[in-house]
């Protein structure tokens, strides 16, 4: 986790370091989009190809015209339902809202983890956090004219 320290008059100022909820929402959405993109491309948690489908399910999925890759898109409902659900100043939490989709996600998670950040997903989230910090730069750094004197 990245850390930022800001000192003012030999004291640390913590009141300006929190992300606001809308900023955490932006970061959370970047993470969710990165996971959805990885899963939709049939990549596993290490950015390598996902485990192959069972023979019977691959045949069924091919007959429906969805291809025989593990991309969680037979109907697309589960991935469409996966989004940021709650946000606070220090956490954005994503999940599924319907019980049916949560059960399907749990079963798929047992087969191969998919609701995890791969190395590329982590990099995308860190880049989003870096952009948000750059946007906050003006509120984090305070310059004051000292009238020629330095304290």
């Amino acid at each position: 986790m990245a850390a930022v320290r800001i000192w003012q008059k030999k004291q640390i100022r913590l009141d300006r370091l929190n992300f606001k909820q809308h900023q955490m929402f932006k970061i959370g959405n970047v993470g969710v989009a990165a996971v959805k993109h990885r899963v939709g491309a049939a990549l596993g948690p290490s950015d390598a190809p996902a485990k192959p489908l069972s023979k019977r399910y691959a045949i069924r999925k091919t007959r429906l015209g969805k291809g025989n890759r593990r991309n969680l898109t037979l109907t697309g409902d589960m991935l469409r339902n996966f989004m940021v659900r709650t946000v606070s100043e220090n956490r954005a939490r994503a999940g599924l809202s319907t019980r049916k989709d949560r059960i399907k996600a749990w079963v798929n998670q047992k087969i191969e983890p998919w609701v995890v950040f791969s190395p590329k997903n982590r990099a995308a989230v860190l880049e989003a956090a870096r952009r948000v910090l750059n946007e906050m730069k003006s509120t984090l750094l305070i310059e004051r004219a000292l009238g020629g004197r330095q304290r």
Side-chain angles (χ1 to χ4, degrees), residues 119-149:
K120 287 183 182 177
N121 298 150
R122 280 191 212 103
V125 170
L126 285 175
E127 181 57 34
R130 191 172 293 119
R131 283 194 310 263
V132 168
L133 275 174
N134 282 335
E135 291 173 5
M136 291 174 53
K137 198 183 320 184
S138 62
T139 61
L140 292 175
L141 302 174
I142 301 173
E143 290 185 28
R144 295 185 184 171
L146 298 175
R149 291 185 352 190

Side-chain angles (χ1 to χ4, degrees), residues 30-69:
V30 168
V32 167
V35 169
K36 282 183 175 183
H37 185 299
R38 176 181 50 84
V39 170
L43 298 175
S46 62
D47 291 322
K51 289 172 63 174
L53 299 172
S54 68
K55 185 176 179 181
R56 182 178 294 242
Y57 186 61
I59 291 169
R60 177 176 170 223
K61 200 170 174 185
T62 303
R63 282 187 183 156
L64 292 172
K66 301 294 181 177
N68 61 352
R69 304 181 319 163

Side-chain angles (χ1 to χ4, degrees), residues 9 14 19 26 63 68 85 117 127 138 142 145:
K9 295 183 182 180
L14 297 175
F19 285 115
K26 284 182 189 178
R63 282 187 183 156
N68 61 352
R85 296 291 174 189
F117 283 158
E127 181 57 34
S138 62
I142 301 173

Side-chain angles (χ1 to χ4, degrees), residues 72 78 81 95-111 114-115:
L72 302 182
M78 191 168 68
N81 194 355
L96 300 150
S97 63
T98 65
R99 179 171 168 75
K100 177 183 167 185
D101 287 338
R102 284 194 303 267
I103 292 169
K104 283 170 55 177
W106 175 70
V107 170
N108 284 326
Q109 189 77 8
K110 288 176 70 174
I111 295 169
W114 67 276
V115 186

Side-chain angles (χ1 to χ4, degrees), residues 15-33:
D15 59 336
R16 298 181 186 269
L17 292 179
N18 289 342
F19 285 115
K20 294 181 180 172
Q21 287 183 354
H22 68 87
Q23 293 165 328
M24 282 304 295
F25 184 70
K26 284 182 189 178
I27 295 170
N29 274 334
V30 168
V32 167

